[in-house]
Amino acid sequence: MCFKYVYYILVSLFFTFTASISLSKTYPIYKNLSAIAVLDQEALFVESDWGKEILNQIELKVSSLAKENRSIENLLETEELLLTERRKIISKLEFDVLAFEFDTKVKQIRTEQAIKQRKINNFLNDNKKVFFEKITPILLSFIDELGVEVLLNKDTVALASTGSDITKAAIAKINSQLKN
């Protein structure tokens, strides 16, 4: 009978001990909750050293094209005035031929200038593409350092805390690692 009591006491102690162990067991708690950050992609380009250099080149090209357009415009205005003056002394048929040639010339110049503008736009777009290709590994490494799991473009976010915007820090990181 004594053996029976000892057995019950041992079993009770076993269950008490295992219950306290199971109650004290810690379950995995995620200390690093999903971190989401935002950045302004346009600002990455515009405010980075790389982007500033490209934008300076674009500004020079656009300024040069605008100057060229003004010069061409002045020449065409002068030519149009001369054509108008000649109209008084030449036949209608001669004038119509000259006017057609002038219109054709103006259309050709417009086409050429539009092509130059498209080349500038393509230069900008191509350089933006190269920029974002080059910064992707830098940004991936950077967000990994920060523990960020999801990075969103600021334009797609309705509302975010001020601390979630990593644009300025990303620009500093990009400038330190990316050279033209």
Side-chain angles (χ1 to χ4, degrees):
M1 182 127 167
C2 193
F3 178 69
K4 221 176 186 186
Y5 289 120
V6 171
Y7 175 75
Y8 287 124
I9 292 172
L10 286 175
V11 169
S12 311
L13 286 173
F14 174 75
F15 284 122
T16 306
F17 180 69
T18 57
S20 66
I21 288 175
S22 66
L23 289 175
S24 68
K25 184 176 179 182
T26 58
Y27 291 95
I29 297 175
Y30 298 101
K31 294 178 183 172
N32 294 332
L33 297 175
S34 178
I36 298 175
V38 296
L39 62 78
D40 185 341
Q41 285 183 314
E42 188 62 26
L44 281 182
F45 184 76
V46 172
E47 296 176 20
S48 70
D49 292 342
W50 176 293
K52 286 177 183 176
E53 176 61 31
I54 297 303
L55 292 175
N56 284 337
Q57 291 177 33
I58 296 289
E59 188 176 334
L60 291 172
K61 290 175 186 244
V62 167
S63 177
S64 175
L65 183 60
K67 184 178 178 183
E68 183 181 334
N69 285 341
R70 283 190 300 274
S71 175
I72 291 170
E73 184 180 338
N74 289 336
L75 291 173
L76 290 174
E77 284 176 359
T78 303
E79 189 174 336
E80 185 179 25
L81 287 173
L82 291 173
L83 186 58
T84 304
E85 289 297 316
R86 286 189 71 189
R87 182 179 193 179
K88 297 174 187 174
I89 57 173
I90 59 175
S91 71
K92 177 167 175 21
L93 185 60
E94 279 182 290
F95 176 77
D96 287 345
V97 169
L98 292 174
F100 179 77
E101 289 172 353
F102 180 75
D103 283 345
T104 303
K105 180 179 178 178
V106 168
K107 288 177 185 175
Q108 179 63 32
I109 289 171
R110 283 184 185 148
T111 301
E112 291 169 0
Q113 297 308 97
I115 290 170
K116 290 176 185 178
Q117 181 62 50
R118 274 194 301 279
K119 284 182 180 179
I120 293 171
N121 292 341
N122 290 341
F123 176 78
L124 175 61
N125 292 334
D126 292 346
N127 276 282
K128 274 187 170 183
K129 182 180 176 193
V130 168
F131 173 78
F132 284 107
E133 286 172 358
K134 287 186 176 279
I135 69 165
T136 297
I138 296 169
L139 285 176
L140 286 171
S141 172
F142 184 55
I143 64 172
D144 199 35
E145 285 174 28
L146 296 175
V148 171
E149 294 179 17
V150 178
L151 186 60
L152 300 172
N153 187 9
K154 196 173 186 178
D155 293 341
T156 62
V157 176
L159 191 60
S161 69
T162 313
S164 65
D165 188 343
I166 62 167
T167 304
K168 290 191 184 304
I171 291 169
K173 189 73 151 180
I174 289 166
N175 286 343
S176 71
Q177 293 187 20
L178 185 65
K179 304 293 177 206
N180 285 352

